[in-house]
Amino acid sequence: MRGLTALPLLFAPMIAWGDCTQNLQNWAQALHPTLELASDFAVCKVNPADTSQVVAALPLKVNVDEYGQGDYSLDVLVADAASGKIIAHHYQEAVIISDAVQFSGLTLDTARYQVAPGLRAFGVRIRHTGSSRVNPFSSETLSLYEHDGSQLRQIMGHLVVSESHGEWDGVCAGEFGEIKRTLAMGEPGKDGFSGLRLTEISTGSQSIAKGADDCQEIEGVTQTKRFSLEYDGGRYGVPKGLRFE
């Protein structure tokens, strides 16, 4: 992984600013001329915390085959909305792995993550989907980024915010489960950063064959758990059991 460094203004405005997606390829070429942008997955949007800026996430193919399997790097950036010039970026090499559990998309999350007074983070959500019909799986993770001047840094990484899984016979009988996690801001802690309050709701169900043609679904008990993620002076630590591996 490369360090967090300020990036000079790499290129003059090439188009009148409108749809920020027009600059996705320009940004990728300027930052990583030897890597191919996974353009189907690249995203950008205006930052509601500062509408003079846009934020973007650029997945880049490192060693990806024709089926989309392999490793993707990720560059997250902040750019000037009027000109498209890059203000700050954060690069992670080969951070997204796509294999039997395939990388299937990402989105920018600009909810109000007010992590400290005067400091609002934004998120990148990454989705993975399993390829097995009888063992269905899907997952979405959330990472948070803080922009401070010429630096952009990741302050929380790869928290699983939703997951669904199952095992069945392909006809009826099987078991299925789902987990949803939501974040809320807690009390200020180290360096003025709020703790993150995490609520987890898990549900399950079971399908049972009843006779030759009937399939009965039985809902399981819903469970709720709560966790707290504390800022340690550099980032929010995500316990192993809550992190995408």
Side-chain angles (χ1 to χ4, degrees):
M1 183 185 302
R2 299 181 185 177
L4 300 178
T5 57
L7 183 77
L9 301 181
L10 292 176
F11 53 91
M14 301 177 65
I15 55 174
W17 190 256
D19 180 3
C20 64
T21 59
Q22 297 175 78
N23 260 349
L24 291 170
Q25 187 62 57
N26 295 333
W27 289 327
Q29 181 64 28
L31 290 166
H32 306 284
T34 63
L35 296 178
E36 179 185 354
L37 177 68
S39 55
D40 289 346
F41 297 137
V43 291
C44 64
K45 67 186 298 187
V46 172
N47 183 4
D50 184 348
T51 56
S52 71
Q53 299 175 349
V54 295
V55 293
L58 309 177
L60 302 143
K61 299 178 182 179
V62 178
N63 57 352
V64 177
D65 65 19
E66 60 183 307
Y67 304 106
Q69 295 189 338
D71 298 331
Y72 296 78
S73 293
L74 181 65
D75 211 322
V76 180
L77 64 86
V78 177
D80 181 75
S83 66
K85 293 180 179 180
I86 297 171
I87 298 169
H89 80 124
H90 178 62
Y91 178 66
Q92 293 173 283
E93 187 173 358
V95 71
I96 302 172
I97 299 173
S98 185
D99 45 31
V101 178
Q102 296 181 337
F103 169 45
S104 56
L106 57 79
T107 56
L108 292 163
D109 182 348
T110 54
R112 194 177 295 276
Y113 295 112
Q114 197 73 39
V115 293
L119 185 60
R120 178 170 163 176
F122 68 91
V124 174
R125 292 174 177 254
I126 297 175
R127 298 187 300 277
H128 282 82
T129 305
S131 57
S132 171
R133 178 173 175 269
V134 295
N135 295 104
F137 176 85
S138 65
S139 175
E140 183 174 81
T141 65
L142 171 66
S143 296
L144 294 180
Y145 294 83
E146 170 214 1
H147 176 218
D148 184 9
S150 62
Q151 288 195 333
L152 182 68
R153 66 191 186 100
Q154 187 188 75
I155 57 173
M156 186 190 75
H158 312 295
L159 170 70
V160 177
V161 290
S162 70
E163 180 180 295
S164 63
H165 54 273
E167 182 176 358
W168 68 309
D169 62 5
V171 179
C172 171
E175 295 183 351
F176 305 89
E178 184 176 47
I179 295 172
K180 296 284 188 182
R181 298 185 178 112
T182 56
L183 283 179
M185 298 300 108
E187 296 298 319
K190 189 175 181 61
D191 298 334
F193 279 74
S194 298
L196 300 180
R197 299 198 308 269
L198 183 63
T199 301
E200 173 187 293
I201 298 176
S202 59
T203 58
S205 65
Q206 183 178 18
S207 295
I208 302 174
K210 305 289 282 189
D213 302 314
D214 191 17
C215 186
Q216 179 182 1
E217 182 175 346
I218 303 171
E219 294 293 335
V221 176
T222 297
Q223 295 183 327
T224 301
K225 297 180 182 178
R226 291 179 173 82
F227 307 90
S228 181
L229 306 181
E230 301 299 329
Y231 186 76
D232 65 5
R235 61 190 292 120
Y236 292 94
V238 179
K240 186 175 182 180
L242 305 181
R243 191 173 63 241
F244 185 78
E245 301 290 349

